[in-house]
Amino acid sequence: MSCSPQLSHRDFVAVLSRCSTRAHLEQLHAHAFVSGRAAAQTTTFHLLRFAALRLSCLPYARRLFDATPNPNVFLYSAMLSAYVSSAAATPSAHAHAHGALELFLRMLRRGRPAPNQFVYPLALRAACAVGVRLVRSIHSHARKSGFCEYDVIRTALLDGCSRYGMMADARKLFDDLTERNVVSWTALVSGYARAGKVGDAIVLFERMPERDVAAWNAIIAGCTQNGLFVEAVGILGRMVDKGFRPNATTVSCVLSACGHLGMLKIGKLIHCYAWRTCVGFGSSVLNGLIDMYGKCGNLKGARWIFDEVSDRSLTTWNSLINCLALHGRSECAIAVFNEMRDEGVEPDVVTFVGLLNACTHGGFVDEGLRYFELMQHEHRIEPEIEHYGCIVDLLGRAGRFEDALNVISNMRIKSDEVIWGSLLNACRIHRQLELADLAIRKLLELDPNNANYVAMLANVYSEGGLWEEVRKIRKSVKEENIGKKLPGCSWIEIDRKTHRFYSGDDAHPESEDIYDTLDDLAASMEL
DNA sequence: ATAGGGTTAG
């Protein structure tokens, strides 16, 4: 590439827009010096944006910024934008948010350049990653400076509220906008979905006057986040029918839905689509594929994709470890965990859920306890309720009830139904009727109307041969008219026909054979 | 010359 020193600014920008590599950037940067153009902040502005947005090279962008004496408001907003947009794509989101906020505070402190309507939305987005308090204080600052008249700033604020579950505030901001567009609608839709009000989100989505790919993604993500997997796949169909092209975000969400549903066929179709349209090269889609193949039981497929991922993120490792654990491949899961540590990837809470699950399924009691310790003391991770659930399950199944109770009583968080349910299950296995009674009382304290618990207790007693107790419980259920038990349901797709099964159901034409096979399988598992 | 909405792992 050669650039004449007489290049006009317009041509300089045009050349930059056709560049794609670091070498191009360095050459144009050098050219800017030679031609004397580097002194103009508008030149730095374009170079900075290229470094940040095209090359995702934040340090280069920051060096350009730092080398500029008295950067103007354009440079500040370009640098803030660089931080904010890279925060979404990296695990160091917090560091980047702080980088942005530090610059914003510098503007306020120095009073020059004064933040404008372009700076506030960026500062608010950064604040979202840090805490609701900061969102509020930037809000009041914007209001005092008269910037809350701008719809874009109010939309950024709406988004901030919706990310922290403050839907009443979000709704008010939405209603007060002078003009609502696809961005503000989408912010509200995803807010309701994140707050668990997916029904409201769907109603709102259906009323949207205009939709784009991000809007469709918002509702699909909302469905998968709330367990509406069938709906998520259905909405993908509608989206395609309307002529919208699913992108990497869409594909990641729908792959997650396919994994949860065990829809391997649709998952493969989406894999093909991603391959054909080239949206599948990003790691988010590859991670989704690992998860989908893994959850559907195709562990070879999952491993194959995993090996193809060049920049393995925490999610990549977690997806593989989790699906190995899910299918009882405990040794494999532990091996992958060790591989991950060898490569210097720091595990997180999710990693340990998978790892502890692997230990539980494999009956690796001591290893499980060891990893539980490792997690807390070496990795400084505070256990969440899921980790305690694994440990109680692990100890309970091993018949170590005293240890299990110790863990429960030393927990720094409130126990939940999973904890006591695990203990109850262990009590059933080891015929610990007295402890079972304690567990069931705790369960009924948590949810007095759940007839499942009563049924579970009846199972414990009946397996212990206490028929009189069982009869009493059954009677009390009828008399007290506790909420109806929802039957568990599973299904499988064979030759395009879906076979659906409820627990204890004998409606299937081949029901007898199915139960016989199940008995055989159970017998061969007893060892 | 610049701004606001959409991921995935439990």
Side-chain angles (χ1 to χ4, degrees):
Chain A
M1 184 173 58
S2 75
C3 303
S4 121
Q6 287 82 33
L7 207 63
S8 69
H9 177 71
R10 205 192 164 95
D11 289 337
F12 179 81
V13 174
V15 171
L16 195 56
S17 75
R18 302 177 64 126
C19 291
S20 54
T21 67
R22 168 104 183 201
H24 290 152
L25 173 65
E26 282 168 353
Q27 216 166 344
L28 273 166
H29 193 180
H31 173 266
F33 273 117
V34 173
S35 62
R37 176 175 283 124
Q41 293 205 1
T42 172
T43 302
T44 315
F45 174 83
H46 284 107
L47 292 171
L48 195 159
R49 280 175 67 84
F50 181 88
L53 304 178
R54 291 284 273 273
L55 300 182
S56 310
C57 184
L58 214 52
Y60 202 125
R62 184 61 201 244
R63 276 201 302 278
L64 282 160
F65 182 84
D66 286 337
T68 310
N70 303 316
N72 63 20
V73 72
F74 290 101
L75 280 177
Y76 267 99
S77 52
M79 196 61 228
L80 283 172
S81 167
Y83 277 125
V84 164
S85 59
S86 72
T90 57
S92 43
H94 264 275
H96 292 164
H98 278 292
L101 290 164
E102 187 248 316
L103 286 184
F104 177 68
L105 290 176
R106 189 188 290 183
M107 295 176 85
L108 295 183
R109 209 170 44 240
R110 295 186 182 171
R112 203 160 30 140
N116 62 8
Q117 70 270 35
F118 293 91
V119 171
Y120 276 100
L122 293 163
L124 282 166
R125 241 178 94 182
C128 282
V130 176
V132 68
R133 260 190 49 216
L134 203 54
V135 175
R136 284 191 203 279
S137 78
I138 294 179
H139 176 198
S140 66
H141 210 283
R143 197 176 35 219
K144 280 179 209 145
S145 326
F147 281 112
C148 277
E149 300 307 308
Y150 290 93
D151 271 352
V152 174
I153 293 176
R154 287 194 276 180
T155 306
L157 211 51
L158 186 171
D159 184 53
C161 292
S162 86
R163 280 175 198 278
Y164 286 97
M166 305 183 301
M167 290 316 293
D169 300 85
R171 186 70 204 218
K172 174 111 179 47
L173 280 157
F174 179 79
D175 291 335
D176 289 346
L177 288 171
T178 41
E179 221 170 74
R180 285 158 282 279
N181 61 14
V182 64
V183 178
S184 38
W185 277 89
T186 306
L188 197 64
V189 165
S190 35
Y192 279 117
R194 266 192 299 260
K197 297 181 174 177
V198 64
D200 292 347
I202 291 171
V203 169
L204 215 57
F205 176 79
E206 299 301 343
R207 279 175 36 203
M208 280 180 76
E210 175 208 350
R211 302 184 190 111
D212 60 10
V213 174
W216 287 96
N217 288 347
I219 195 65
I220 291 174
C223 286
T224 57
Q225 285 156 3
N226 287 281
L228 300 182
F229 305 119
V230 176
E231 288 79 357
V233 178
I235 293 172
L236 172 77
R238 277 177 60 196
M239 172 184 178
V240 172
D241 284 344
K242 299 243 181 211
F244 290 94
R245 299 181 64 82
N247 62 17
T249 306
T250 327
V251 167
S252 305
C253 291
V254 181
L255 283 173
S256 160
C258 291
H260 283 284
L261 292 164
M263 286 181 159
L264 184 58
K265 236 179 205 167
I266 292 179
K268 279 182 175 168
L269 240 109
I270 291 166
H271 187 176
C272 292
Y273 169 85
W275 177 259
R276 253 193 2 250
T277 56
C278 301
V279 306
F281 293 139
S283 55
S284 66
V285 169
L286 296 173
N287 293 342
L289 286 168
I290 295 169
D291 177 60
M292 186 277 293
Y293 280 114
K295 281 215 181 75
C296 292
N298 187 340
L299 294 174
K300 271 201 184 129
R303 181 75 211 204
W304 192 79
I305 306 278
F306 178 87
D307 290 334
E308 295 295 302
V309 184
S310 51
D311 53 335
R312 290 172 190 164
S313 68
L314 185 58
T315 307
T316 318
W317 291 96
N318 285 353
S319 302
L320 187 65
I321 292 173
N322 174 51
C323 71
L324 291 169
L326 199 69
H327 291 284
R329 305 285 276 270
S330 307
E331 285 100 336
C332 281
I334 292 169
V336 173
F337 174 72
N338 288 326
E339 218 181 302
M340 169 184 180
R341 295 183 80 209
D342 289 344
E343 292 203 8
V345 179
E346 183 68 16
D348 73 344
V349 275
V350 180
T351 319
F352 281 101
V353 172
L355 190 66
L356 293 177
N357 256 326
C359 294
T360 304
H361 291 155
F364 300 148
V365 185
D366 295 326
E367 286 87 342
L369 292 172
R370 206 158 50 77
Y371 288 128
F372 191 55
E373 289 293 310
L374 183 88
M375 165 178 131
Q376 296 171 80
H377 299 125
E378 202 165 306
H379 295 282
R380 305 265 156 219
I381 296 171
E382 187 71 19
E384 291 180 359
I385 195 76
E386 287 86 355
H387 304 104
Y388 285 116
C390 289
I391 292 296
V392 169
D393 199 17
L394 193 69
L395 290 168
R397 282 174 198 273
R400 292 167 60 170
F401 289 98
E402 205 175 307
D403 293 336
L405 284 172
N406 263 332
V407 169
I408 296 174
S409 55
N410 289 328
M411 276 170 45
R412 295 174 63 183
I413 39 180
K414 200 177 171 301
S415 57
D416 71 351
E417 65 277 5
V418 176
I419 302 286
W420 295 110
S422 302
L423 194 72
L424 180 66
N425 186 47
C427 291
R428 186 178 58 78
I429 296 167
H430 293 278
R431 305 253 197 276
Q432 286 279 329
L433 301 187
E434 228 169 279
L435 208 49
D437 208 67
L438 169 75
I440 209 77
R441 271 190 285 117
K442 293 288 186 182
L443 284 170
L444 285 170
E445 258 173 43
L446 289 164
D447 184 3
N449 294 319
N450 193 327
N452 285 318
Y453 299 151
V454 183
M456 281 154 77
L457 186 61
N459 285 342
V460 176
Y461 282 149
S462 70
E463 286 184 28
L466 298 178
W467 303 110
E468 185 55 29
E469 296 293 327
V470 177
R471 204 186 53 77
K472 268 193 217 155
I473 293 166
R474 293 258 154 85
K475 207 168 149 234
S476 82
V477 174
K478 258 183 202 159
E479 278 169 5
E480 289 169 27
N481 204 15
I482 298 181
K484 272 221 163 68
K485 184 182 164 181
L486 279 175
C489 174
S490 70
W491 60 90
I492 188 170
E493 216 182 282
I494 300 170
D495 296 333
R496 290 177 169 195
K497 194 172 163 8
T498 303
H499 304 261
R500 196 181 291 268
F501 304 95
Y502 292 94
S503 83
D505 140 42
D506 56 1
H508 194 272
E510 292 173 71
S511 179
E512 218 169 293
D513 285 342
I514 292 169
Y515 278 109
D516 283 346
T517 310
L518 199 59
D519 286 340
D520 289 345
L521 285 170
S524 61
M525 283 193 294
E526 302 248 321
L527 298 172

PDB file of all heavy atoms in Angstrom, chain A residues 413-436:
ATOM      1  N   ILE A 413     -25.363 -19.748  53.242  1.00  0.00           N
ATOM      2  CA  ILE A 413     -26.576 -19.306  52.561  1.00  0.00           C
ATOM      3  C   ILE A 413     -27.739 -20.209  52.977  1.00  0.00           C
ATOM      4  O   ILE A 413     -27.534 -21.288  53.531  1.00  0.00           O
ATOM      5  CB  ILE A 413     -26.420 -19.338  51.018  1.00  0.00           C
ATOM      6  CG1 ILE A 413     -25.625 -20.569  50.597  1.00  0.00           C
ATOM      7  CG2 ILE A 413     -25.796 -18.072  50.499  1.00  0.00           C
ATOM      8  CD1 ILE A 413     -25.427 -20.688  49.117  1.00  0.00           C
ATOM      9  N   LYS A 414     -28.948 -19.765  52.690  1.00  0.00           N
ATOM     10  CA  LYS A 414     -30.146 -20.488  53.088  1.00  0.00           C
ATOM     11  C   LYS A 414     -30.267 -21.786  52.288  1.00  0.00           C
ATOM     12  O   LYS A 414     -30.052 -21.796  51.073  1.00  0.00           O
ATOM     13  CB  LYS A 414     -31.360 -19.591  52.808  1.00  0.00           C
ATOM     14  CG  LYS A 414     -32.600 -19.984  53.581  1.00  0.00           C
ATOM     15  CD  LYS A 414     -33.714 -18.980  53.291  1.00  0.00           C
ATOM     16  CE  LYS A 414     -35.045 -19.445  53.851  1.00  0.00           C
ATOM     17  NZ  LYS A 414     -35.508 -20.731  53.323  1.00  0.00           N
ATOM     18  N   SER A 415     -30.586 -22.886  52.958  1.00  0.00           N
ATOM     19  CA  SER A 415     -30.737 -24.151  52.235  1.00  0.00           C
ATOM     20  C   SER A 415     -32.014 -24.112  51.407  1.00  0.00           C
ATOM     21  O   SER A 415     -32.957 -23.388  51.718  1.00  0.00           O
ATOM     22  CB  SER A 415     -30.772 -25.316  53.218  1.00  0.00           C
ATOM     23  OG  SER A 415     -31.810 -25.135  54.145  1.00  0.00           O
ATOM     24  N   ASP A 416     -32.036 -24.880  50.336  1.00  0.00           N
ATOM     25  CA  ASP A 416     -33.216 -24.895  49.470  1.00  0.00           C
ATOM     26  C   ASP A 416     -33.731 -26.321  49.299  1.00  0.00           C
ATOM     27  O   ASP A 416     -33.236 -27.258  49.937  1.00  0.00           O
ATOM     28  CB  ASP A 416     -32.909 -24.242  48.124  1.00  0.00           C
ATOM     29  CG  ASP A 416     -31.981 -25.097  47.269  1.00  0.00           C
ATOM     30  OD1 ASP A 416     -31.452 -26.106  47.783  1.00  0.00           O
ATOM     31  OD2 ASP A 416     -31.788 -24.744  46.086  1.00  0.00           O
ATOM     32  N   GLU A 417     -34.709 -26.465  48.406  1.00  0.00           N
ATOM     33  CA  GLU A 417     -35.342 -27.770  48.270  1.00  0.00           C
ATOM     34  C   GLU A 417     -34.398 -28.807  47.646  1.00  0.00           C
ATOM     35  O   GLU A 417     -34.551 -30.005  47.882  1.00  0.00           O
ATOM     36  CB  GLU A 417     -36.656 -27.662  47.490  1.00  0.00           C
ATOM     37  CG  GLU A 417     -36.542 -27.226  46.045  1.00  0.00           C
ATOM     38  CD  GLU A 417     -36.447 -25.710  45.890  1.00  0.00           C
ATOM     39  OE1 GLU A 417     -36.370 -24.989  46.910  1.00  0.00           O
ATOM     40  OE2 GLU A 417     -36.415 -25.255  44.736  1.00  0.00           O
ATOM     41  N   VAL A 418     -33.401 -28.325  46.883  1.00  0.00           N
ATOM     42  CA  VAL A 418     -32.456 -29.271  46.291  1.00  0.00           C
ATOM     43  C   VAL A 418     -31.616 -29.935  47.383  1.00  0.00           C
ATOM     44  O   VAL A 418     -31.369 -31.141  47.376  1.00  0.00           O
ATOM     45  CB  VAL A 418     -31.539 -28.574  45.257  1.00  0.00           C
ATOM     46  CG1 VAL A 418     -30.498 -29.545  44.714  1.00  0.00           C
ATOM     47  CG2 VAL A 418     -32.373 -27.999  44.121  1.00  0.00           C
ATOM     48  N   ILE A 419     -31.182 -29.132  48.346  1.00  0.00           N
ATOM     49  CA  ILE A 419     -30.366 -29.627  49.443  1.00  0.00           C
ATOM     50  C   ILE A 419     -31.114 -30.724  50.208  1.00  0.00           C
ATOM     51  O   ILE A 419     -30.630 -31.847  50.372  1.00  0.00           O
ATOM     52  CB  ILE A 419     -30.029 -28.476  50.427  1.00  0.00           C
ATOM     53  CG1 ILE A 419     -29.299 -27.349  49.712  1.00  0.00           C
ATOM     54  CG2 ILE A 419     -29.268 -28.995  51.642  1.00  0.00           C
ATOM     55  CD1 ILE A 419     -27.878 -27.634  49.364  1.00  0.00           C
ATOM     56  N   TRP A 420     -32.315 -30.388  50.662  1.00  0.00           N
ATOM     57  CA  TRP A 420     -33.075 -31.353  51.463  1.00  0.00           C
ATOM     58  C   TRP A 420     -33.590 -32.504  50.615  1.00  0.00           C
ATOM     59  O   TRP A 420     -33.710 -33.624  51.086  1.00  0.00           O
ATOM     60  CB  TRP A 420     -34.211 -30.649  52.210  1.00  0.00           C
ATOM     61  CG  TRP A 420     -33.686 -29.667  53.220  1.00  0.00           C
ATOM     62  CD1 TRP A 420     -33.750 -28.309  53.163  1.00  0.00           C
ATOM     63  CD2 TRP A 420     -32.986 -29.984  54.426  1.00  0.00           C
ATOM     64  NE1 TRP A 420     -33.128 -27.749  54.255  1.00  0.00           N
ATOM     65  CE2 TRP A 420     -32.659 -28.745  55.050  1.00  0.00           C
ATOM     66  CE3 TRP A 420     -32.598 -31.179  55.052  1.00  0.00           C
ATOM     67  CZ2 TRP A 420     -31.961 -28.677  56.262  1.00  0.00           C
ATOM     68  CZ3 TRP A 420     -31.908 -31.110  56.263  1.00  0.00           C
ATOM     69  CH2 TRP A 420     -31.596 -29.867  56.849  1.00  0.00           C
ATOM     70  N   GLY A 421     -33.858 -32.206  49.345  1.00  0.00           N
ATOM     71  CA  GLY A 421     -34.278 -33.273  48.431  1.00  0.00           C
ATOM     72  C   GLY A 421     -33.159 -34.291  48.227  1.00  0.00           C
ATOM     73  O   GLY A 421     -33.401 -35.502  48.210  1.00  0.00           O
ATOM     74  N   SER A 422     -31.912 -33.799  48.086  1.00  0.00           N
ATOM     75  CA  SER A 422     -30.768 -34.701  47.940  1.00  0.00           C
ATOM     76  C   SER A 422     -30.625 -35.566  49.181  1.00  0.00           C
ATOM     77  O   SER A 422     -30.381 -36.771  49.101  1.00  0.00           O
ATOM     78  CB  SER A 422     -29.474 -33.913  47.749  1.00  0.00           C
ATOM     79  OG  SER A 422     -29.562 -33.083  46.644  1.00  0.00           O
ATOM     80  N   LEU A 423     -30.755 -34.901  50.335  1.00  0.00           N
ATOM     81  CA  LEU A 423     -30.618 -35.648  51.586  1.00  0.00           C
ATOM     82  C   LEU A 423     -31.727 -36.693  51.704  1.00  0.00           C
ATOM     83  O   LEU A 423     -31.479 -37.844  52.095  1.00  0.00           O
ATOM     84  CB  LEU A 423     -30.665 -34.688  52.775  1.00  0.00           C
ATOM     85  CG  LEU A 423     -30.209 -35.315  54.091  1.00  0.00           C
ATOM     86  CD1 LEU A 423     -28.700 -35.539  54.080  1.00  0.00           C
ATOM     87  CD2 LEU A 423     -30.588 -34.447  55.283  1.00  0.00           C
ATOM     88  N   LEU A 424     -32.936 -36.300  51.333  1.00  0.00           N
ATOM     89  CA  LEU A 424     -34.065 -37.222  51.398  1.00  0.00           C
ATOM     90  C   LEU A 424     -33.822 -38.442  50.511  1.00  0.00           C
ATOM     91  O   LEU A 424     -34.068 -39.585  50.909  1.00  0.00           O
ATOM     92  CB  LEU A 424     -35.349 -36.502  50.969  1.00  0.00           C
ATOM     93  CG  LEU A 424     -36.621 -37.349  50.999  1.00  0.00           C
ATOM     94  CD1 LEU A 424     -36.959 -37.740  52.432  1.00  0.00           C
ATOM     95  CD2 LEU A 424     -37.796 -36.603  50.379  1.00  0.00           C
ATOM     96  N   ASN A 425     -33.302 -38.179  49.330  1.00  0.00           N
ATOM     97  CA  ASN A 425     -33.021 -39.268  48.397  1.00  0.00           C
ATOM     98  C   ASN A 425     -31.982 -40.226  48.981  1.00  0.00           C
ATOM     99  O   ASN A 425     -32.118 -41.453  48.895  1.00  0.00           O
ATOM    100  CB  ASN A 425     -32.528 -38.688  47.069  1.00  0.00           C
ATOM    101  CG  ASN A 425     -32.370 -39.767  46.030  1.00  0.00           C
ATOM    102  OD1 ASN A 425     -33.250 -40.600  45.852  1.00  0.00           O
ATOM    103  ND2 ASN A 425     -31.226 -39.761  45.356  1.00  0.00           N
ATOM    104  N   ALA A 426     -30.953 -39.630  49.618  1.00  0.00           N
ATOM    105  CA  ALA A 426     -29.926 -40.461  50.256  1.00  0.00           C
ATOM    106  C   ALA A 426     -30.533 -41.285  51.389  1.00  0.00           C
ATOM    107  O   ALA A 426     -30.193 -42.454  51.577  1.00  0.00           O
ATOM    108  CB  ALA A 426     -28.799 -39.577  50.780  1.00  0.00           C
ATOM    109  N   CYS A 427     -31.444 -40.662  52.119  1.00  0.00           N
ATOM    110  CA  CYS A 427     -32.123 -41.362  53.218  1.00  0.00           C
ATOM    111  C   CYS A 427     -32.913 -42.560  52.694  1.00  0.00           C
ATOM    112  O   CYS A 427     -32.980 -43.607  53.329  1.00  0.00           O
ATOM    113  CB  CYS A 427     -33.072 -40.426  53.944  1.00  0.00           C
ATOM    114  SG  CYS A 427     -32.227 -39.159  54.873  1.00  0.00           S
ATOM    115  N   ARG A 428     -33.522 -42.372  51.507  1.00  0.00           N
ATOM    116  CA  ARG A 428     -34.288 -43.454  50.904  1.00  0.00           C
ATOM    117  C   ARG A 428     -33.350 -44.620  50.556  1.00  0.00           C
ATOM    118  O   ARG A 428     -33.644 -45.771  50.865  1.00  0.00           O
ATOM    119  CB  ARG A 428     -34.983 -42.937  49.644  1.00  0.00           C
ATOM    120  CG  ARG A 428     -35.925 -43.920  48.990  1.00  0.00           C
ATOM    121  CD  ARG A 428     -36.603 -43.296  47.795  1.00  0.00           C
ATOM    122  NE  ARG A 428     -35.654 -42.825  46.779  1.00  0.00           N
ATOM    123  CZ  ARG A 428     -35.037 -43.633  45.913  1.00  0.00           C
ATOM    124  NH1 ARG A 428     -35.262 -44.921  45.932  1.00  0.00           N
ATOM    125  NH2 ARG A 428     -34.198 -43.139  45.039  1.00  0.00           N
ATOM    126  N   ILE A 429     -32.206 -44.290  49.971  1.00  0.00           N
ATOM    127  CA  ILE A 429     -31.253 -45.326  49.576  1.00  0.00           C
ATOM    128  C   ILE A 429     -30.743 -46.091  50.795  1.00  0.00           C
ATOM    129  O   ILE A 429     -30.643 -47.315  50.795  1.00  0.00           O
ATOM    130  CB  ILE A 429     -30.057 -44.708  48.817  1.00  0.00           C
ATOM    131  CG1 ILE A 429     -30.532 -44.073  47.507  1.00  0.00           C
ATOM    132  CG2 ILE A 429     -28.982 -45.755  48.540  1.00  0.00           C
ATOM    133  CD1 ILE A 429     -29.490 -43.185  46.849  1.00  0.00           C
ATOM    134  N   HIS A 430     -30.426 -45.335  51.870  1.00  0.00           N
ATOM    135  CA  HIS A 430     -29.811 -45.956  53.041  1.00  0.00           C
ATOM    136  C   HIS A 430     -30.817 -46.264  54.144  1.00  0.00           C
ATOM    137  O   HIS A 430     -30.417 -46.578  55.262  1.00  0.00           O
ATOM    138  CB  HIS A 430     -28.685 -45.054  53.573  1.00  0.00           C
ATOM    139  CG  HIS A 430     -27.524 -44.950  52.643  1.00  0.00           C
ATOM    140  ND1 HIS A 430     -26.536 -45.904  52.573  1.00  0.00           N
ATOM    141  CD2 HIS A 430     -27.198 -44.014  51.717  1.00  0.00           C
ATOM    142  CE1 HIS A 430     -25.651 -45.548  51.650  1.00  0.00           C
ATOM    143  NE2 HIS A 430     -26.030 -44.410  51.118  1.00  0.00           N
ATOM    144  N   ARG A 431     -32.123 -46.114  53.792  1.00  0.00           N
ATOM    145  CA  ARG A 431     -33.181 -46.419  54.762  1.00  0.00           C
ATOM    146  C   ARG A 431     -33.007 -45.682  56.087  1.00  0.00           C
ATOM    147  O   ARG A 431     -33.135 -46.255  57.163  1.00  0.00           O
ATOM    148  CB  ARG A 431     -33.219 -47.924  55.067  1.00  0.00           C
ATOM    149  CG  ARG A 431     -33.354 -48.801  53.835  1.00  0.00           C
ATOM    150  CD  ARG A 431     -34.744 -49.399  53.760  1.00  0.00           C
ATOM    151  NE  ARG A 431     -34.791 -50.532  52.836  1.00  0.00           N
ATOM    152  CZ  ARG A 431     -34.956 -50.401  51.516  1.00  0.00           C
ATOM    153  NH1 ARG A 431     -35.012 -49.193  50.966  1.00  0.00           N
ATOM    154  NH2 ARG A 431     -35.040 -51.469  50.756  1.00  0.00           N
ATOM    155  N   GLN A 432     -32.677 -44.415  55.994  1.00  0.00           N
ATOM    156  CA  GLN A 432     -32.532 -43.583  57.195  1.00  0.00           C
ATOM    157  C   GLN A 432     -33.858 -42.866  57.445  1.00  0.00           C
ATOM    158  O   GLN A 432     -34.029 -41.704  57.081  1.00  0.00           O
ATOM    159  CB  GLN A 432     -31.420 -42.550  56.972  1.00  0.00           C
ATOM    160  CG  GLN A 432     -30.030 -43.111  57.014  1.00  0.00           C
ATOM    161  CD  GLN A 432     -29.547 -43.273  58.441  1.00  0.00           C
ATOM    162  OE1 GLN A 432     -29.931 -42.497  59.326  1.00  0.00           O
ATOM    163  NE2 GLN A 432     -28.702 -44.268  58.669  1.00  0.00           N
ATOM    164  N   LEU A 433     -34.788 -43.595  58.065  1.00  0.00           N
ATOM    165  CA  LEU A 433     -36.142 -43.063  58.140  1.00  0.00           C
ATOM    166  C   LEU A 433     -36.260 -41.817  59.002  1.00  0.00           C
ATOM    167  O   LEU A 433     -37.004 -40.890  58.686  1.00  0.00           O
ATOM    168  CB  LEU A 433     -37.094 -44.147  58.635  1.00  0.00           C
ATOM    169  CG  LEU A 433     -37.125 -45.397  57.744  1.00  0.00           C
ATOM    170  CD1 LEU A 433     -38.207 -46.347  58.199  1.00  0.00           C
ATOM    171  CD2 LEU A 433     -37.334 -45.029  56.287  1.00  0.00           C
ATOM    172  N   GLU A 434     -35.497 -41.786  60.090  1.00  0.00           N
ATOM    173  CA  GLU A 434     -35.614 -40.654  60.999  1.00  0.00           C
ATOM    174  C   GLU A 434     -35.157 -39.355  60.339  1.00  0.00           C
ATOM    175  O   GLU A 434     -35.810 -38.329  60.416  1.00  0.00           O
ATOM    176  CB  GLU A 434     -34.743 -40.917  62.222  1.00  0.00           C
ATOM    177  CG  GLU A 434     -35.467 -40.646  63.530  1.00  0.00           C
ATOM    178  CD  GLU A 434     -34.649 -41.181  64.673  1.00  0.00           C
ATOM    179  OE1 GLU A 434     -34.707 -42.408  64.927  1.00  0.00           O
ATOM    180  OE2 GLU A 434     -33.914 -40.379  65.273  1.00  0.00           O
ATOM    181  N   LEU A 435     -33.997 -39.467  59.662  1.00  0.00           N
ATOM    182  CA  LEU A 435     -33.449 -38.308  58.977  1.00  0.00           C
ATOM    183  C   LEU A 435     -34.351 -37.898  57.816  1.00  0.00           C
ATOM    184  O   LEU A 435     -34.498 -36.713  57.519  1.00  0.00           O
ATOM    185  CB  LEU A 435     -32.037 -38.646  58.466  1.00  0.00           C
ATOM    186  CG  LEU A 435     -31.072 -37.489  58.325  1.00  0.00           C
ATOM    187  CD1 LEU A 435     -31.057 -36.639  59.590  1.00  0.00           C
ATOM    188  CD2 LEU A 435     -29.668 -38.027  58.052  1.00  0.00           C
ATOM    189  N   ALA A 436     -34.969 -38.898  57.189  1.00  0.00           N
ATOM    190  CA  ALA A 436     -35.899 -38.622  56.094  1.00  0.00           C
ATOM    191  C   ALA A 436     -37.030 -37.737  56.597  1.00  0.00           C
ATOM    192  O   ALA A 436     -37.482 -36.817  55.917  1.00  0.00           O
ATOM    193  CB  ALA A 436     -36.455 -39.927  55.528  1.00  0.00           C
TER     194      ALA A 436
END
